[in-house]
Structure formats: structure tokens, C-alpha cells
Amino acid sequence: MKPTVFTFPKIFQSSTNMLAFFSILIPLGVMIAPMASASRCSPAFIDKPDLVGASIIDIEANEAHNFSAVSIGPGSNQGGQYTINFCNITVTHTHPGRNDKVHTQVWLPLKGWNGRFQALGGGGYSTGFGSIYLTHSVATGFASASTDGGLPTGNGKDAIPTDLSWALTSENNVDWLLLENYASKATNDMALIGQQITKSYYKKAANYSYFAGCSGGGRQGLLMAQKYPEVFDGILAIAPAINLQNFIPAGMWASQVMNENKHYPLPCEIEAFTKAAVAACDRLDGVEDGIISDPDSCHITAYDFIGKAYTCNGVRSTFTSSSAKVIQAAWSGSRSASEKYGWSGLNKDSAIGSAYIPTECSTNNKTCQIGESALLGAWFKYLIAKNPDYDDNNMTRAELFEGLHSSDVDYSSMLGTNDANLSKFKKSGGKMITWHGMADEVIPPNGTIAYYEEVLKNNPKAHDFYRFFEAPGVGHCYGGLGPIPNGAMSQLMEWVEKDHTPVTLHATKGKNDTARDLCPYPLRQKFIGGDSRNATSFTCR
Ligand SMILES: *[C@@H]1O[C@H](CO)[C@@H](O)[C@H](O)[C@H]1NC(C)=O
Ligand SMILES: *[C@@H]1O[C@H](CO)[C@@H](O)[C@H](O)[C@H]1NC(C)=O
Ligand SMILES: *[C@@H]1O[C@H](CO)[C@@H](O)[C@H](O)[C@H]1NC(C)=O
Ligand SMILES: *[C@@H]1O[C@H](CO)[C@@H](O)[C@H](O)[C@H]1NC(C)=O
Ligand SMILES: *[C@@H]1O[C@H](CO)[C@@H](O)[C@H](O)[C@H]1NC(C)=O
Ligand SMILES: *[C@@H]1O[C@H](CO)[C@@H](O)[C@H](O)[C@H]1NC(C)=O
Ligand SMILES: *[C@@H]1O[C@H](CO)[C@@H](O)[C@H](O)[C@H]1NC(C)=O
Ligand SMILES: *[C@@H]1O[C@H](CO)[C@@H](O)[C@H](O)[C@H]1NC(C)=O
Ligand SMILES: *[C@@H]1O[C@H](CO)[C@@H](O)[C@H](O)[C@H]1NC(C)=O
């Protein structure tokens, strides 16, 4: 908002008297041109979004100035503190007869709109992260949206939305309507509301519409491609939580093994197993960098280390078979010939201790007991046992597998988000990128690989509009030793807008000061010589 009539006297430029200054000028009519543009940020000037099956309850709109927050893009570790000026619009709507109340935040840059709309996903048991993603998105010029889906979680209200108590109306009664908001409805609503509000505010529709999300947000991205294929031009669906009805309860397998044997490994013993596995498999991709790029060729098991020595907080110990059982449960997953409802495990360079082997230990780390895995445990309590008081650490093995079975039966059609037929998305010209950290410590990458294989089976040329990249050494959404593809969104925009196909995904310097070009699946990185920190020292094959 640069005044055309005059420039601000210096004294006012950084003064809190600015508002008073304006209110003096407005009656004089001096600021008419710039103020007219500012005043568009008012409910009176915003057209009510039109949405089949929804009734708009309220629209609030106010300019927000100098809003400052720490923010990142989904699947990026290059966040920071951003200060933004935007039109802050909150649309509240309900689905008549459902008694829900959904809040969609639409944040529109006051200056420097890049002509694009970006909807942002959530994670955990939420559909949106609010300012955590919105601030960065607005700072980079996007008209941006996030939704709370009518849930008490998300939109910045909690950092880690693991609360699933909203999924029950009372013991044994699932709130199917709210669950459907979480699964799909709210995400599409947010997109349509956001696009319409953007058009109404700028008097011009966005040139391009994008979706970006990681984890639960990655699942929302795939959902849009599968079920609402015409809404977005480009979708960045990172580490997608597809098949969550399977992998979430199956992730409790290692806890089950701990509880059955009443053996709870020490944190540094868990880390020692990881180190030992990395030491054994690190070189298989040609370079020793703490990263296992090709997990399928890493055949070592936790049992192979039994009796070998490791050092735990300066104390020399040997790996025990009871600990090996627990570690191997996290690595191999609950899949076995007899257990139809099992799932893959985590790769061996991932931080298995956090979600899959939750322990609480004495301050000196001498003894541990079972800890709480908030994300995994909540699913079992609320959606399988449907009882908030259920003790998910006192199950029989049969109960665990019955639970995995019933979870699959009850929720796969609503939440699985694994339809491999993307023909309508292709037809509407959509482009999509998925990457998944191979050291993901929450969502086993194998589920994403299996889904992409299905997509290719359905359409062997799916590569032309949907590309999947493995990110070796990267944890859940970011983190880990591996270089992170922070520029994935830019590469997606290049693909959508200029038809520049992302041949590789550029991953920037990770903890080891390394850069890599991530390979399009099914290719994997292979060292060809040179400085291993240099991307050009690797090729895809
Ligand atoms: C926003 O911050 C800038 C720079 O610190 C300052 O000049 C300006 O007065 C602030 N605006 C408002 C509305 O607070
Ligand atoms: C945006 O507006 C909503 C509702 O009017 C308000 O609750 C919220 O605090 C505002 N956010 C910012 C960053 O100004
Ligand atoms: C959006 O499209 C219009 C033409 O419809 C063009 O003038 C404008 O530069 C485009 N904006 C961006 C950011 O691409
Ligand atoms: C306990 O183990 C954890 C994980 O290895 C470590 O971060 C922490 O420093 C240890 N605490 C003590 C007192 O050794
Ligand atoms: C990368 O980091 C790991 C763990 O910190 C270390 O073991 C490895 O030697 C490092 N590799 C390089 C090439 O620096
Ligand atoms: C992932 O799938 C491959 C191929 O089916 C299999 O060999 C591997 O063991 C699986 N990995 C995990 C961690 O389950
Ligand atoms: C665990 O389950 C057994 C029976 O399966 C029951 O007798 C026991 O009370 C339970 N323990 C707790 C702490 O709930
Ligand atoms: C994919 O879906 C399209 C349209 O919905 C349908 O025409 C086509 O037969 C499907 N393809 C496969 C392989 O299932
Ligand atoms: C990386 O490799 C390129 C091409 O071989 C070379 O020009 C560049 O200097 C290398 N950079 C580093 C940091 O080694």
C-alpha cells in the first residue's frame, strides 16, 4: 500500500501513531486511493462462498498488520520468523443437519500477491495447522487457506494434534460425521471457499491453485487428487498418511512385544541398535554417510547383534535377545504370514524410539517402563476399543490383531485414501509430487511405495503427471541426516506453469553438509565418485 499522493513524514513511518494519523487524513479524503484498496478487507465486500451442502454462518474479515510467527512450508526445515500484512478472513460454515461448525482461515497478502492460491493441510488428528503454515505461505505471496474441519484440534490451537477424543460422541459411539469432515469433506470445502474468497477479494481468480501438506496433510493432498481431481493444478503430498487405519494401530506392535515380555529397552540401547544397523548397511549405497539409501538391500536383523557389545552412556553392555525382539518388531512391522492385518515397519536408520518404542525411563536411564505413544494409542482407544478408558498396554496379541482387523473393516473406505486410479486428475491436467523420507519414524515409507506401485499398475505412464521421490535419511516431514527437498513446491510450480518436469528433486544441505538430487521412483541414488557431499557425485539408477 504505497500512497501515491504523498510520502509519509519520517516521524510517522515507524510510529504507533500511524492509525491516529490515518483517521485524521481519511475525512480529508487524501488517502482515498490506497484506503479504498484496504477497505476491501471487510465482510461487506466479500461475496459469500457458494458451496453445495454447506450453509455459511459467518464471515469475518480484518486487516492484520505486522503479524509475526515462526512458520515453515510443509515438508521443509527452512522456516523462520516471518512478519506479514494480510487480509484475515475467517469463514464459518455448517453442513445442515450435522450440527458442525467449520472454520476456514483465508489469509490474503495485502501486497505482492503472486497470483496463486495455496491450500494447506494439517497433520495428526487435525485438518489444518493454521499460522504454522499460513504465515510462510502468505510471506511467499500466496493467497492461503487452512481449515479446522470443525474439529477442536488444529489451526494453530495445538502444536501436536494427537487428541482424538472428538471422534466419539460417547463410549462405543463414533462421531461418523465429524470423522468424515476429517477424512475428506473439510479439505474440499476449504479449497472451494478459499478459491472463491480469493477471487472475490482480488476481483480476479487465482491463476493457479495448489495444495501442500505433509503426513495427515499429505493424505489430504492425495484425497484431493483421488476424489476432487479438478480442484487443484498442483498437489504436493508429502509423507502421506494413507492407510492410517492400518499403519497407526499396527505401529503398536513393538509396544505389544514390550508389554508381553515386560521388557523395556533403555533409550541409548535403542539408539545403539540403530547405530549398529547403520554401520552394517551404510556402505551399500556406495558411501558412508550415516544414511541407508537402499533399505531393501539391508538384510541385517536385530537378532544379528545379540551378544555384541555396545556402549551406553559410557557403560559397556551387550545387546540382549529380549531387546532385539522389540527392535525387530519396529523394523519388520507386524506383517507375518499368519497375520493378514499387519503392516510394514520402519527403516533401520529411522529414530524408532519416539513413536514406535515409547518408554518412560528413570532420570538416570537405568530402568524404563512403557510410555505413551499419544498418536498411536489414541487410535486404539477411541476408534478401535471406542472407550477412552481402554488400556492399550494390556492387550493380548489376539486383541491387537482383532483390533487391526476391525480398524481396517470400519475405516478403510472413509480414511484409506488409496484409490490408485488418478485418471480424472490426469485428465484435468493436474500435476502431483510426493516425496517420503526413508528414515520416517512415524509413517512406514513402504505404504507410499506400495501405493505408487498401484498407481503405475493402473497407468504405466502415470509418471507423466505424478512423480514419487524417496528421500534417503530424512525423517517424518523433515529432520534426520538426509538432505531435504525444500524446493519441492517451486519445482511443482515449474512443472504446472512451465511444463518443466522435475527429473530429480533437489535436496539441500542436510546435517552432514550434503546436497543430493533425489531420484524419481523406482530409481535410487548411487555414488559414482567424488565428494560425497556434492549432489553431482551421485547418479540415479
Ligand atoms: C509495522 O512494522 C513496521 C516496521 O517495524 C512499522 O513501521 C509499522 O508502523 C508497523 N505497522 C503497524 C500497523 O503496526
Ligand atoms: C483473524 O481473525 C480471527 C477472527 O476474526 C481472529 O480470531 C484472529 O485472531 C485473527 N488472526 C490474526 C492473526 O489477526
Ligand atoms: C496471472 O495471469 C494474468 C493473466 O490472466 C497475468 O497478467 C498475470 O501476470 C498472472 N500472474 C502471475 C503471478 O502469473
Ligand atoms: C537418557 O537417554 C536419553 C536418550 O538416549 C538421553 O538423551 C539422555 O541424556 C539420557 N539421560 C541421562 C541422565 O543419561
Ligand atoms: C554423516 O553423519 C554421520 C552421523 O553423524 C556420521 O557417522 C558420518 O560419518 C557422516 N558422514 C560424512 C560423510 O560426513
Ligand atoms: C518394504 O517392502 C519390501 C518389498 O516388499 C520388503 O522387502 C521390505 O522388507 C519392506 N520393508 C519394511 C520395513 O517392512
Ligand atoms: C490386564 O488384563 C487382565 C486380563 O486380561 C486383567 O486381569 C488385569 O486387571 C488388566 N490389568 C490392568 C492394569 O488393567
Ligand atoms: C479409472 O477411472 C476411470 C474414470 O473414473 C475409468 O473410466 C477407468 O476405467 C478406470 N481405470 C481403471 C484401470 O480402473
Ligand atoms: C561439485 O561438483 C561440481 C561438478 O563436478 C563442481 O563444479 C563443484 O565444484 C563441486 N562442489 C563441491 C563443493 O565439491
Side-chain angles (χ1 to χ4, degrees), residues 50 156 231 242 245 284 333 499 535:
D50 184 16
V231 175
I242 54 173
Q245 75 285 355
L284 295 172
D499 210 21

Side-chain angles (χ1 to χ4, degrees), residues 509 531 533-537:
K509 286 175 188 275
D531 184 338
R533 290 167 302 182
N534 199 335
T536 58
S537 305

Side-chain angles (χ1 to χ4, degrees), residues 286-503:
V287 64
E288 212 169 322
D289 55 1
I291 296 169
I292 302 175
S293 298
D294 184 3
D296 291 347
S297 63
C298 178
H299 299 299
I300 200 120
T301 73
Y303 304 120
D304 295 327
F305 302 124
I306 296 171
K308 303 223 162 108
Y310 69 96
T311 306
C312 196
N313 293 333
V315 180
R316 208 174 134 87
S317 313
T318 52
F319 290 114
T320 61
S321 67
S322 29
S323 289
K325 267 188 205 157
V326 177
I327 307 302
Q328 190 56 35
W331 284 346
S332 60
S334 56
R335 244 191 234 294
S336 75
S338 56
E339 315 285 12
K340 186 175 165 213
Y341 293 96
W343 201 253
S344 299
L346 301 173
N347 287 329
K348 297 180 186 102
D349 55 349
S350 68
I352 40 175
S354 56
Y356 280 54
I357 310 184
T359 53
E360 271 168 21
C361 306
S362 59
T363 43
N364 57 6
N365 277 344
K366 287 247 164 73
T367 56
C368 301
Q369 55 178 13
I370 192 73
E372 203 198 347
S373 180
L375 187 81
L376 311 184
W379 186 279
F380 228 99
K381 274 191 199 344
Y382 292 101
L383 288 178
I384 294 177
K386 304 182 179 93
N387 173 6
D389 299 323
Y390 184 74
D391 182 359
D392 51 70
N393 285 314
N394 193 28
M395 287 187 266
T396 63
R397 189 174 285 213
E399 280 165 345
L400 174 70
F401 283 99
E402 275 163 31
L404 299 192
H405 182 189
S406 75
S407 184
D408 187 64
V409 170
D410 284 352
Y411 306 111
S412 59
S413 71
M414 189 188 264
L415 280 154
T417 323
N418 57 11
D419 183 354
N421 185 345
L422 299 173
S423 63
K424 286 187 178 160
F425 183 65
K426 173 193 156 43
K427 197 162 166 230
S428 79
K431 300 280 190 289
M432 181 156 65
I433 291 177
T434 288
W435 65 262
H436 201 135
M438 297 302 277
D440 194 314
E441 71 281 16
V442 182
I443 304 181
N446 257 15
T448 302
I449 295 170
Y451 173 72
Y452 195 71
E453 289 278 3
E454 284 300 309
V455 170
L456 290 176
K457 239 183 249 164
N458 194 282
N459 175 2
K461 295 175 82 178
H463 202 62
D464 293 345
F465 65 93
Y466 179 28
R467 293 199 166 200
F468 167 54
F469 301 85
E470 294 179 348
V474 177
H476 188 52
C477 295
Y478 55 85
L481 277 181
I484 295 168
N486 283 301
M489 191 65 203
S490 307
Q491 288 192 266
L492 176 64
M493 293 195 293
E494 288 272 306
W495 197 10
V496 167
E497 299 173 19
K498 299 185 188 147
D499 210 21
H500 292 166
T501 307
V503 177

Side-chain angles (χ1 to χ4, degrees), residues 100-111:
D100 57 352
K101 212 180 226 187
V102 182
H103 303 95
T104 305
Q105 289 177 284
V106 187
W107 288 17
L108 305 166
L110 293 181
K111 282 203 305 192

